[in-house]
Amino acid sequence: MKLTFYNEGVECGFPSPARDYTEGSIDLNEKLILHPNATFIVRARGKSMINAGIYPGDLIIVDRSIKPTNGSVVVAVLDGELSIKSLEIKKDKITLLSANKDYSSVHVSEEMDLIIWGVCIHSIHKLHNN
Amino acid sequence: MKNKIFALIDCNAFYVSCERVFNPKLNNRPVVALSNNDGCIIARSKEAKALGIKMGVPLFKVKDIVRKEKVHVFSSNYTLYGDMSRRVMNIIAEFTNDIEIYSIDEAFIGLDGIPGDIVEYGHKIRKTILQYTGIPVSVGIANTKTLAKVANHIAKDNGSFSGVCSLLELKNIDKLLPSIEVGEVWGVGRQLSKKLNMHGIYNIKQLKDTDDFRIRKMMSINGLKTVTELRGISCLPLEEVRATRKSCCTSRSFGQNLKELDDIQQAVAIFSRRAVERIRAENLLTSSVSVFLRTSPFDKKNKYYFNSSSIHISTPTNDTIEIAKIVSRITKQIFKPGYLYQKAGVLLSGFYPEGEEPVDLFSQDSKIREDLMKTIDKINTRFGGDTIQIASEQHLGTWAQKKDRCSPNYTTNINSVLVVD
């Protein structure tokens, strides 16, 4: 004897009236990640960017393909150290700003080695513990 | 006909570069990556090369330099390298459809019909890959694949090219070639370069200028193709579609020698599943399963033992469970108690494309099994390679590989992402 599997589910009664209006579901990958090959996820630690809406433990979506500009929140590598900071470009002066008055900001001098690792485009903050 | 234009894009010290992206402190420091089981050095940063650390040497042979010079050592993290490779290749594919992915860190592309300056285009590809992924690459451009590889070697070796070298532009190729050894030519291995040296051929210029008759005598017909390519005449086209594979082998040394059949069964069960996953990804069915087992050939105290056996399957299959059963049966057959086993492997061969296999009149309908296999692959792809296993594998037996210095899976596991202050 052979049993047949129905993968599609069996319909009873009338088909749903919404059936012709379905659009698929919302895909967060598609909405939050514009350049998948250049996008990396990192986790924030510490409170230096709290006033920019970045809390300890948040997941940050970093897009390396975007050109950083004045005001961008970036992952910076300053003399080999990684940090999340706000980028301030005034004429030819670059400053890495913290978004918390308890933390200092850094004026980047000529001797320092600064690499902008990527531009932070979203922060994912957990509101409910389950 | 107009000359063709090829480029070889090759990632610089790829495994090391992957580690550096997520650990910028390693920039300008000596870094090496190890082969499976932490055996030999298979990737070196420029700084590690400068310390005289050679490619392929066992770690223990250079442990003094490593300690003294504070060389950073990594176990190979193929999950990370595979993901970074996928990104690099995707970015290259955005520039052109003419792409042959040659290895985890190299791709050939065709550059015919590119408007504007070709070298500038090479720099644009290089810059984009570096910015998007953090991986530095070198680009070699020429009229043949073999010359593109030579150009790439020059770009890597000679800082004045800033990572992109084109042999299209250089009128004086012949001035650069005498300084490069024949062993650097694509397809000339160590044996062959020894042989060429014996015939007085040491550098690429000499090889290129040797007459066809002598080349054929020394290097066979493929060698003649290589040399013709060195002369700027293209013989090797881009292979966009890889030829169907003939066999698929998964074999590893165990982390420590194994004595018990049960432990070995666990290991071969995993090798078996991985091999089957690979052929399933290529829509192939296997009709022959082999297993081998051996002790260490370098162990002078104990007797050497090697055995292998194969089973032919009348109904070709890519069913993990069915193949696991066969593998287990063969393993039991070839296992002999009282030995310390060092390595085992599973080899699948005799492939048929799915749907083209000979029909076995007595086989049962395997549709349900097929669906199950697809589901297992999906889950393992989504949640990580080993989420669903065959019961005989169990988890992390004594045979698991040595991976003492492995970096986290920064790009593929949400619990391992880079943490930034």
Side-chain angles (χ1 to χ4, degrees):
Chain A
M1 197 189 79
K2 243 183 177 178
L3 289 175
T4 313
F5 264 133
Y6 287 99
N7 286 332
E8 312 259 308
V10 186
E11 279 191 16
C12 300
F14 295 104
S16 159
R19 193 180 194 177
D20 293 339
Y21 299 92
T22 50
E23 282 190 80
S25 51
I26 295 169
D27 182 350
L28 283 181
N29 278 330
E30 198 180 283
K31 293 290 165 209
L32 302 184
I33 297 176
L34 304 172
H35 309 104
N37 296 320
T39 300
F40 295 85
I41 294 174
V42 306
R43 194 179 291 280
R45 178 171 59 189
K47 298 177 178 170
S48 75
M49 292 300 285
I50 268 184
N51 292 327
I54 297 175
Y55 297 85
D58 286 359
L59 288 173
I60 312 297
I61 299 177
V62 185
D63 189 334
R64 294 182 55 114
S65 72
I66 296 175
K67 192 173 183 281
T69 53
N70 183 35
S72 296
V73 174
V74 298
V75 172
V77 183
L78 189 63
D79 293 328
E81 295 288 342
L82 282 155
S83 63
I84 300 176
K85 289 281 182 290
S86 202
L87 185 68
E88 186 187 75
I89 308 173
K90 274 188 187 164
K91 287 181 191 160
D92 43 359
K93 271 209 153 170
I94 295 176
T95 311
L96 296 175
L97 300 171
S98 297
N100 180 343
K101 61 177 171 23
D102 298 337
Y103 289 77
S104 57
S105 296
V106 186
H107 298 283
V108 180
S109 62
E110 289 260 316
E111 312 82 73
M112 291 177 172
D113 178 25
L114 174 70
I115 300 165
I116 302 301
W117 196 90
V119 174
C120 303
I121 57 168
H122 294 285
S123 166
I124 301 171
H125 179 70
K126 200 170 184 177
L127 297 171
H128 179 76
N129 282 316
N130 36 349
Chain B
M1 203 180 87
K2 209 175 157 289
N3 274 340
K4 284 188 178 310
I5 303 173
F6 296 93
L8 174 67
I9 302 168
D10 187 3
C11 301
N12 301 351
F14 181 57
Y15 299 168
V16 167
S17 297
C18 289
E19 301 292 350
R20 280 178 164 168
V21 170
F22 300 94
N23 200 340
K25 272 189 195 151
L26 301 176
N27 289 334
N28 308 316
R29 305 266 325 139
V31 184
V32 297
L34 302 175
S35 60
N36 271 332
N37 233 1
D38 289 356
C40 302
I41 287 166
I42 51 166
R44 306 161 297 159
S45 72
K46 208 170 68 207
E47 298 76 11
K49 279 179 205 171
L51 291 174
I53 297 174
K54 295 268 182 292
M55 193 70 168
V57 295
L59 179 61
F60 73 86
K61 282 205 171 161
V62 289
K63 66 176 194 294
D64 290 340
I65 307 177
V66 166
R67 199 181 317 119
K68 215 175 105 208
E69 304 287 342
K70 298 201 177 73
V71 178
H72 295 260
V73 179
F74 287 92
S75 303
S76 40
N77 180 348
Y78 286 108
T79 309
L80 176 65
Y81 308 155
D83 185 67
M84 294 303 281
S85 167
R86 180 185 60 79
R87 290 165 184 262
V88 170
M89 297 308 166
N90 284 347
I91 293 164
I92 297 171
E94 281 171 19
F95 282 92
T96 172
N97 289 326
D98 281 343
I99 174 169
E100 175 190 347
I101 298 172
Y102 185 68
S103 72
I104 192 167
D105 57 357
E106 296 169 281
F108 285 102
I109 56 172
L111 287 178
D112 297 294
I114 299 297
D117 187 277
I118 292 267
V119 174
E120 221 164 83
Y121 195 76
H123 279 292
K124 197 173 152 199
I125 296 175
R126 183 176 183 276
K127 263 196 194 141
T128 307
I129 297 171
L130 182 61
Q131 190 195 329
Y132 285 24
T133 64
I135 302 289
V137 303
S138 299
V139 183
I141 303 167
N143 289 127
T144 71
K145 282 164 82 177
T146 307
L147 277 176
K149 193 123 179 164
V150 173
N152 194 291
H153 176 81
I154 297 170
K156 269 212 179 74
D157 244 32
N158 190 332
S160 67
F161 286 96
S162 309
V164 181
C165 170
S166 163
L167 294 179
L168 302 172
E169 311 294 317
L170 296 168
K171 298 266 173 341
N172 45 0
I173 293 185
D174 284 355
K175 280 195 185 143
L176 283 163
L177 298 189
S179 62
I180 310 171
E181 290 170 24
V182 282
E184 296 295 340
V185 174
W186 189 29
V188 178
R190 209 187 308 171
Q191 289 304 322
L192 188 52
S193 55
K194 260 191 206 159
K195 190 167 166 189
L196 290 168
N197 288 173
M198 280 190 327
H199 285 84
I201 300 167
Y202 296 96
N203 65 56
I204 300 188
K205 170 84 169 55
Q206 291 171 324
L207 182 62
K208 174 175 163 271
D209 292 343
T210 306
D211 69 75
D212 289 4
F213 182 74
R214 281 186 70 203
I215 294 289
R216 266 191 117 129
K217 257 175 74 180
M218 291 182 292
M219 300 175 69
S220 83
I221 188 74
N222 282 331
L224 188 58
K225 269 189 192 167
T226 299
V227 175
T228 310
E229 285 230 322
L230 285 178
R231 294 171 188 152
I233 299 156
S234 176
C235 312
L236 305 164
L238 284 185
E239 283 175 37
E240 281 152 52
V241 184
R242 281 287 176 92
T244 317
R245 57 159 89 228
K246 297 240 163 50
S247 67
C248 176
C249 180
T250 320
S251 75
R252 298 278 156 77
S253 300
F254 306 127
Q256 60 186 82
N257 292 344
L258 298 181
K259 213 173 161 182
E260 303 300 332
L261 177 60
D262 277 356
D263 290 339
I264 292 168
Q265 287 285 20
Q266 281 181 34
V268 292
I270 297 201
F271 300 163
S272 154
R273 174 168 58 77
R274 296 216 173 119
V276 179
E277 275 168 5
R278 267 192 240 156
I279 67 163
R280 206 150 54 219
E282 295 180 34
N283 300 315
L284 297 172
L285 303 169
T286 179
S287 65
S288 170
V289 179
S290 317
V291 180
F292 76 83
L293 268 182
R294 71 162 169 75
T295 60
S296 167
F298 302 110
D299 187 342
K300 296 212 171 84
K301 277 179 266 163
N302 298 297
K303 247 178 98 185
Y304 180 63
Y305 176 71
F306 171 91
N307 202 355
S308 73
S309 180
S310 306
I311 283 184
H312 177 79
I313 313 168
S314 59
T315 315
T317 178
N318 57 18
D319 182 330
T320 304
I321 296 166
E322 203 179 319
I323 293 167
K325 276 189 200 156
I326 296 168
V327 164
S328 165
R329 212 162 76 212
I330 302 173
T331 308
K332 203 175 158 191
Q333 230 177 60
I334 61 177
F335 174 83
K336 233 170 143 181
Y339 288 95
L340 279 173
Y341 292 91
Q342 190 222 14
K343 189 170 182 171
V346 171
L347 178 88
L348 307 178
S349 57
F351 294 145
Y352 292 90
E354 242 167 0
E356 289 178 42
E357 71 273 23
V359 180
D360 183 341
L361 288 177
F362 303 100
S363 77
Q364 297 162 337
D365 187 356
S366 61
K367 176 80 177 82
I368 293 173
R369 205 33 110 58
E370 202 182 306
D371 287 343
L372 174 62
M373 291 302 133
K374 279 188 186 137
T375 310
I376 292 179
D377 284 351
K378 261 192 206 154
I379 293 173
N380 281 351
T381 309
R382 191 176 314 163
F383 298 106
D386 296 325
T387 308
I388 293 200
Q389 309 181 346
I390 307 303
S392 55
E393 292 176 16
Q394 298 194 3
H395 201 54
L396 287 178
T398 40
W399 64 276
Q401 291 223 3
K402 259 195 243 162
K403 257 191 157 186
D404 292 342
R405 308 151 202 252
C406 200
S407 55
N409 290 338
Y410 296 111
T411 59
T412 51
N413 185 336
I414 198 84
N415 298 315
S416 307
V417 299
L418 185 63
V419 176
V420 185
D421 277 315

